Amino acid sequence: METASTPTPPCVNVDAAALRAWPLPMPSTDGDKEQRGHVLILGGSREMPGAVILAATAALRAGAGKLTIATGASVAQLVALALPEARVIGLAETEQGGFTGEAVGMLDPLADKVNAILIGPGMQDEAATAALVRALLPRLCGSDVSVVLDACAMAILLSPDEDGDSEAPFRFEQPVILTPHAGEMAHLTGQSKEDISAAPDRHAAQAARRWNAVVALKGARTLVIAADGARWQHEGGNVGLAISGSGDTLAGIIAGLAARGASLPQAACWGVALHARAGELLAERFGILGYLAREIPNEIPALMESFARG
């Protein structure tokens, strides 16, 4: 708990000046795609193949050099046709739309080849997803891979441990990025959505410390809080970003930046700012309501240049 002897760190505003003073890692002028980073997106399902397409597109637009997608075998060909830039791996599926335990063996060889992994967009079967994440984490944490958990994948926090104890508090061995909105945070913490919305700073800070994670609590005011208490906030964007697929694009942007070598807090802060500003630009062209999540990634490359120049 925070006490008088452990003062709360100041909250840094993630504005253009802050981003300009916190430049993203850049490849050398003669760098190849390996230097730009390899990102693995694990997600999608029979009912939501588009989520992994949105996230993967956003990761490439954020500058990642190589892309691998692992998704359900039933939709793998569709995803491959939609993203010719990607290697696509088809995984065996459960009846509920999740992935079977065979996925662990198929993905294990990639642990030494990727720089960042995003798990969650478009995934179903919360229990199967949590079991898969629990099995993958020890391998990933031992290979210096940046891990981003979104949507269904965050259910690892509620899953039973190896002894079947679902009451034992979960703590990541190495920090990961979590990207909940208030409703998801309520589900993960057992608090009400109203309580989360009333005191987002306190709940996000407690969760980050308890879970050993960088928590990006999404909203009109988005908080990014690390396990050590360092905190950032971003206000911007518009209600047009509250649309299906928007969170998938944000998670993809964050994963792409992490693959390039950005630290977890930096990837989260830059990702939130880029996502919000993209929404503002799209609103100027199309109006606040009606632009699509698939249009967000196209804004990202120019915005990264703009923020870097100030």
Side-chain angles (χ1 to χ4, degrees):
M1 295 294 291
E2 292 170 351
T3 67
S5 61
T6 57
T8 302
C11 195
V12 177
N13 285 315
V14 181
D15 54 20
L19 295 175
R20 188 167 64 253
W22 199 7
L24 291 169
M26 290 293 292
S28 60
T29 54
D30 59 349
D32 59 15
K33 60 186 177 182
E34 302 288 346
Q35 192 180 90
R36 288 174 54 178
H38 185 174
V39 61
L40 169 63
I41 312 291
L42 171 57
S45 58
R46 287 187 294 270
E47 295 183 8
M48 293 185 287
V52 76
I53 295 172
L54 290 170
T57 302
L60 287 179
R61 291 295 191 184
K66 289 184 69 175
L67 169 66
T68 298
I69 298 171
T71 191
S74 64
V75 298
Q77 186 174 20
L78 179 156
V79 172
L81 290 171
L83 279 164
E85 299 88 352
R87 173 192 178 190
V88 179
I89 299 171
L91 303 175
E93 297 163 275
T94 67
E95 290 185 5
Q96 293 75 29
F99 303 135
T100 70
E102 296 174 14
V104 177
M106 295 186 69
L107 297 175
D108 183 81
L110 289 170
D112 296 320
K113 298 178 181 179
V114 301
N115 303 101
I117 178 171
L118 165 61
I119 310 175
M123 294 179 78
Q124 295 181 297
D125 192 344
E126 188 172 279
T129 299
L132 176 58
V133 175
R134 186 178 285 277
L136 286 173
L137 279 177
R139 182 70 171 93
L140 297 170
C141 289
S143 57
D144 199 29
V145 179
S146 295
V147 178
V148 183
L149 300 182
D150 181 55
C152 191
M154 293 187 290
I156 179 64
L157 296 164
L158 302 174
S159 69
D161 62 18
E162 287 126 355
D163 299 322
D165 185 2
S166 59
E167 299 300 320
F170 187 93
R171 183 174 175 83
F172 293 101
E173 183 179 339
Q174 293 182 15
V176 306
I177 297 177
L178 303 171
T179 58
H181 53 59
E184 290 169 326
M185 180 66 93
H187 176 59
L188 296 172
T189 61
Q191 305 295 316
S192 71
K193 183 178 178 180
E194 291 72 23
D195 286 344
I196 300 295
S197 299
D201 299 70
R202 176 168 58 83
H203 287 290
Q206 289 175 346
R209 185 170 57 252
R210 183 187 315 125
W211 298 329
N212 189 31
V214 174
V215 174
L217 182 55
K218 300 179 292 190
R221 172 178 173 258
T222 293
L223 288 162
V224 176
I225 302 185
D228 64 2
R231 60 189 71 201
W232 299 261
Q233 65 178 3
H234 180 274
E235 295 184 79
N238 52 62
V239 71
L241 288 168
I243 190 172
S244 293
S246 180
D248 302 318
T249 64
L250 172 58
I253 294 167
I254 292 172
L257 297 175
R260 289 174 52 182
S263 67
L264 299 187
Q266 184 183 31
C269 289
W270 267 85
V272 166
L274 289 166
H275 182 259
R277 183 58 182 147
E280 293 170 353
L281 292 177
L282 288 167
E284 290 173 6
R285 295 207 299 276
F286 298 107
I288 291 179
L289 299 182
Y291 61 83
L292 305 176
R294 75 183 73 158
E295 293 163 334
I296 295 171
N298 293 339
E299 305 296 322
I300 301 306
L303 280 172
M304 288 191 295
E305 298 263 344
S306 176
F307 281 143
R309 292 194 306 267

